[in-house]
Amino acid sequence: MRLVPIRQFSSAAELAQIEVSLETAQADRKLALFVDLAWQLRQVDCGRARDLCAQARQLILTSTNDSLAQQHLARLCLVEGEVALLHGDADRARAWCDEGRAGFDQTAGCEHFFVITADPGASVDGATTLGQAVADQPAAFEARLTDPDDTAVILYTSGTTGTPKGAELTHDNLRQNCTVTAKTLIGVSEQDVILGALPLFHSFGQVCGLNASIAAGACLTLIPRFMPAKALSIIERDAVRELGLI
């Protein structure tokens, strides 16, 4: 199954125009727009995002194009899950977890299924949480020496042209990336404050944000998620000079 990328709209005016076009769009096109719009509105209009998700699910159930319906269902699950997590919808978050478990059970080769909870001490019926998985692991461990050309991370492509592919990056790749970012692209110094508004599990947030800040000895001020008003408040409070956004 190929995951169709979620489209990013550039302005509020374009969002409004798309809303109007929903009235005349054909079913397949309308399904794509429902999911795209729900993603765009998930942080600013939760109620509307939920409505769009519900309408998208109804179109999936009645679609005559099974292949396309399955592709959009995968996208819809991502959007519904994020809406649930952002707005504390425990029932939907649980349903999202169940759907993930069903996919895991049906996929040969998958060996482990973990649920990441906001509270590391929380438990989930029928699943192992990440907190439970690491609870008995030692807090201290012996560091493993690596070479510069050893693989450090594997980043997966989005799969827009086929099956997602794992791109291996070495330790030297990451070092060069953060060094060039800090010293050449933005010229970070020890006196600078950088706003970290991207998730640190994201390659850009981790390498060009966290790693570049550490490499330059700069201060990185973090927010859990980019929200314009909160970001502006922290920029003013901490005298932020740089921020990276996608």
Side-chain angles (χ1 to χ4, degrees):
M1 180 177 67
R2 184 170 69 89
L3 183 62
V4 179
I6 294 175
R7 182 183 172 196
Q8 300 290 322
F9 299 106
S10 60
S11 66
E14 187 179 5
L15 281 171
Q17 184 178 9
I18 297 299
E19 287 268 21
V20 173
S21 70
L22 283 171
E23 299 178 5
T24 57
Q26 297 296 315
D28 287 346
R29 173 62 176 156
K30 187 177 290 187
L31 172 56
L33 291 176
F34 278 153
V35 179
D36 289 336
L37 278 172
W39 175 260
Q40 298 297 319
L41 297 173
R42 70 196 189 283
Q43 293 186 5
V44 295
D45 191 343
C46 179
R48 178 60 176 148
R50 283 198 182 106
D51 289 344
L52 290 165
C53 287
Q55 293 177 74
R57 277 202 171 266
Q58 187 59 38
L59 284 177
I60 287 173
L61 291 173
T62 58
S63 175
T64 57
N65 188 334
D66 290 340
S67 176
L68 187 63
Q70 288 300 313
Q71 292 173 16
H72 287 302
L73 178 60
R75 301 166 66 238
L76 180 60
C77 288
L78 292 175
V79 178
E80 288 179 326
E82 177 129 356
V83 169
L85 294 173
L86 280 173
H87 301 282
D89 186 343
D91 290 338
R92 182 58 206 136
R94 175 69 220 193
W96 188 46
C97 174
D98 290 343
E99 290 177 4
R101 179 68 198 219
F104 167 80
D105 291 338
Q106 295 169 18
T107 304
C110 287
E111 298 180 1
H112 304 288
F113 179 81
F114 300 109
V115 178
I116 301 176
T117 56
D119 177 5
S123 61
V124 176
D125 293 339
T128 300
T129 68
L130 184 61
Q132 292 169 336
V134 302
D136 296 330
Q137 298 300 312
F141 57 91
E142 184 178 350
R144 180 173 178 237
L145 296 178
T146 59
D147 292 324
D149 58 353
D150 284 343
T151 298
V153 297
I154 301 177
L155 302 181
Y156 281 85
T157 63
S158 63
T160 53
T161 59
T163 303
K165 301 172 182 63
E168 297 184 56
L169 296 183
T170 67
H171 291 277
D172 196 48
N173 288 148
L174 299 185
R175 183 185 65 82
Q176 292 283 2
N177 197 340
C178 72
T179 300
V180 169
T181 298
K183 295 186 177 180
T184 304
L185 294 181
I186 57 179
V188 180
S189 71
E190 295 180 3
Q191 287 72 45
D192 289 325
V193 178
I194 299 174
L195 177 64
L198 294 173
L200 298 182
F201 59 78
H202 188 285
S203 58
F204 188 54
Q206 182 188 89
V207 179
C208 299
L210 176 64
N211 293 0
S213 299
I214 293 174
C219 174
L220 182 69
T221 183
L222 298 170
I223 57 176
R225 182 178 299 277
F226 179 79
M227 298 294 284
K230 181 67 173 178
L232 289 173
S233 173
I234 291 180
I235 288 172
E236 180 179 13
R237 184 195 72 188
D238 297 343
V240 171
R241 193 180 80 87
E242 303 285 350
L243 71 156
L245 299 173
I246 295 180

